[in-house]
Structure formats: C-alpha cells, structure tokens
Amino acid sequence: MRVSLVSSSVFAMCCFLTVTVPSLAASTIEWPLWDGHESTASYAARVNLSPTKSIDLGGGVTLDLVLIPAGKFVMGTPELVEPAVTVLGSQILLAIGVALTLAFASMPVVRKLQRKKAAFSLRWLMLFTAALGLTAGGGGRWHLAVQELARYEAEKAVYERNRDYYARTHPVTLTRPFYMGKYTVTQAQYQALIGSNPSVFIGAQLPVEDVSWGEANAFSKKFNERLWDKTLEAHLPTDAQWEYACRAGTTTTYYSGNQESDLDAVAWYYANSKSTTHLVGTKKANAFGLYDMHGNVWQWCEDAYTEDYEKLGVTDPINVQGSGRLLRGGSWLDNALACRSSFRNRSNPSNRYYSIGFRVVVSVSSSRTLP
C-alpha cells in the first residue's frame, strides 16, 4: 500500500512538472523582429504595444513618440562599386558597329565597280540596320560610360576624404522595440521640462539647439520622471538605433532616395534652409513616421565615437569608450553629404552649437509577457 502511495505521488509530481514548468518558462518571450514590410501599426498590435505615445510635460505641452519595431538592418556605408558600363567596352562596341556599317554600306559600291547590278536584298537591309543599331548603341553607351565614370570618380573622391566618418557596412540586430520622438525636441518642450531655452533661433516649435550632450542627457533623465510605466526608460538614441530608425527599411542614401534632389522633400539643409532652423515636422516623414531625421539640426547620440563601430558586435551595439560623442542627421548649414543616413559626425560632449539638437528614445524591457 505504501509503494502504491509513493508511486502515485511521484506520478502526480511528474504531471505537475510537465504541465506547469513549460507554462512558466513561456510566460516571457523575446520580441519578434520586423520583416521590413509589415506596418508599424500592425506590428504594434501583434506585440501588444501602443503604436504611439504622448507624454505630458506640463503647461499644455506634450512630447509625441512613435514605436520603432525590433529588427535587422545593414548599417553603414558600402564600398563604392565601379560602373558596370565601361568606356573601353563602349568604344569596342562602337568600333565593331562602325566597321560592320561601313562593310555593309560598301557592298553596293563594290558591286557597281565590278560592273554588277547593285542588289538591295531584305537580308542585306536587315544586316545593315542591325549594324547601324550597334553603332548607335555603342555611341550611347560611350556617352553614358563617360558620365558614370565622372560620377564615380567624384563620389570616390568624397568617400576617400570622409572615410573616417563612415562605418563600414555590417549587419545589426536590435532585439527589442523602442519609442522615438516623432520630432527633435522643440524649444517649447525643453522650456516646459528644464525651465530655460538656450536656443539662438527663437520659436516655440523650432528645434531646441545650442545644447551640449550633457544637457541633452539631463533632459532625457528628467523626461524619465514623466513616464508612469517604469518598464520604460528614456535616453538618447544609440548610434544603431538612430540609423535604423532613420532608414525605416530603406537602403538608399536618404530615406527618400539616392539623389540630392530627393533630399529637398525631407530635409532643411544648406541648399534650402536660408541659413536658419525651421519648424519641426514641415518636411516629409519616413515610413516610421519620424520627421527631420535628415537636416534641420544635428542630433546627439548616446555612443562615444569610434571609427571601428562594426567591431562592437551585431546585436544591440553601443560604444561607451571614448571622449567624443556621435552626432547624426546633418543640419540646416550642412551639405547633402552630411545629411546621409549613414553619415557619422562627432563633437566634444561639452560643445554647444546652434546647429545641434537632439531627440529622445524610450526603450522597453528586454522581454515581453504573453497577454
């Protein structure tokens, strides 16, 4: 009878462990990664998070945040690729076309010199037309090759001069979603939270500028006090978070395209700023709903600057070793090069300048509880 009772007890305990332990282990799970196509609203619903947040700073002033999903992306600037259409190849194609055109064109002349009747057969006409097409194609490719070579040489010269400001291309995974300020912090928001306004260009909805890295950090820490959900933490964006949020799934020079003409729609920079900052949110947002990720004011990042950022690792990288701090995005007084998604600038953390501002990030916990 005792053996039976012990056996029953052991069986019952095994059943308990089999049923209960797995359910406890599955109570928290890692965040799913964004696939690059799903809308942020759909992702937010899938992970049971609000797609946006609006935080009251007092005095009727709020700070709006948008959800940035966890995900993978390729960070940095790829090495330049030489043009596929070469001048030499185009010249060879043109030479062949010219030679064939002359050969077919001379056939009637040769027959006439031989006192034979010139014959313009359908076959001859088709071959002569093909030769003319080859000649025209070779000439067109030569013209294109010259243009592409000039563009490549110009980009290569810029790339070599600014190599220190580029991170080599490398994959990065951000394992948890985060909220990012929809706009760079405005003067009204800074005034509401800090009680002062250091800006040179004055306007409530203009970006706050002339702030040091330390002052931007102080704002983030004070902003933390406004977050009722203590699983959230406010801070400056890491270098990887900033570029991932800026790109919003794109791989182009700017989130709007590859050409400087694409930049005008999304950024205030030297070509269109008229030497001043502009109201936040007046240019086109990216796919995540973030404004002014290119231009208007530089944005402080959490990281210390390093030229070898790709060596930090591929998962949630951050660099805290070093004196200089990272700046991203370009500003109203910078050229198109400085506004690139991958461009990395640096400054002493104590520096304050009227082209430097910031935006805040609010991170969520590293794992989520099943609903």
Side-chain angles (χ1 to χ4, degrees), residues 17 30 54 79 84 94 98 119 199 213 249 266 277 284 334 362 370:
L17 291 173
E30 294 181 349
S54 186
E79 294 285 342
L94 177 62
V98 170
S199 303
W213 181 85
V266 299
T277 58
K284 186 179 178 181
D334 291 286
V362 174
L370 286 172

Side-chain angles (χ1 to χ4, degrees), residues 219-238:
F219 180 95
S220 298
K221 291 177 180 178
K222 201 167 183 63
F223 184 65
N224 250 333
E225 300 171 7
R226 303 283 177 164
L227 300 175
W228 62 269
D229 186 347
K230 298 310 176 184
T231 64
L232 303 176
E233 180 186 3
H235 54 86
L236 294 177
T238 67

Side-chain angles (χ1 to χ4, degrees), residues 64-80:
D64 296 330
L65 302 154
V66 297
L67 181 68
I68 311 299
K72 297 181 178 182
F73 77 115
V74 176
M75 183 177 180
T77 306
E79 294 285 342
L80 294 177

Side-chain angles (χ1 to χ4, degrees), residues 40 65-68 180-183 245 248 255 284-293 359:
T40 51
L65 302 154
V66 297
L67 181 68
I68 311 299
M180 178 175 265
K182 189 175 183 179
Y183 315 104
Y255 65 73
K284 186 179 178 181
N286 70 7
F288 286 157
L290 298 171
Y291 292 84
D292 302 312
M293 293 299 283
R359 72 177 74 214

Side-chain angles (χ1 to χ4, degrees), residues 28 37 50 65 141 144 152 255 291 293 296 299 307 354:
T28 58
H37 304 289
S50 172
L65 302 154
R141 284 175 65 89
L144 176 62
Y152 170 75
Y255 65 73
Y291 292 84
M293 293 299 283
N296 219 3
Q299 300 169 47
E307 292 182 10
Y354 58 4

Side-chain angles (χ1 to χ4, degrees), residues 164-206:
D164 288 349
Y165 294 94
Y166 294 118
R168 265 63 70 190
T169 301
H170 56 289
V172 170
T173 299
L174 299 177
T175 60
R176 51 177 166 159
F178 56 94
Y179 290 92
M180 178 175 265
K182 189 175 183 179
Y183 315 104
T184 53
V185 172
T186 66
Q187 294 173 33
Q189 291 165 343
Y190 194 89
Q191 178 79 45
L193 205 58
I194 303 299
S196 61
N197 183 8
S199 303
V200 174
F201 304 106
I202 302 300
Q205 296 307 309
L206 291 176

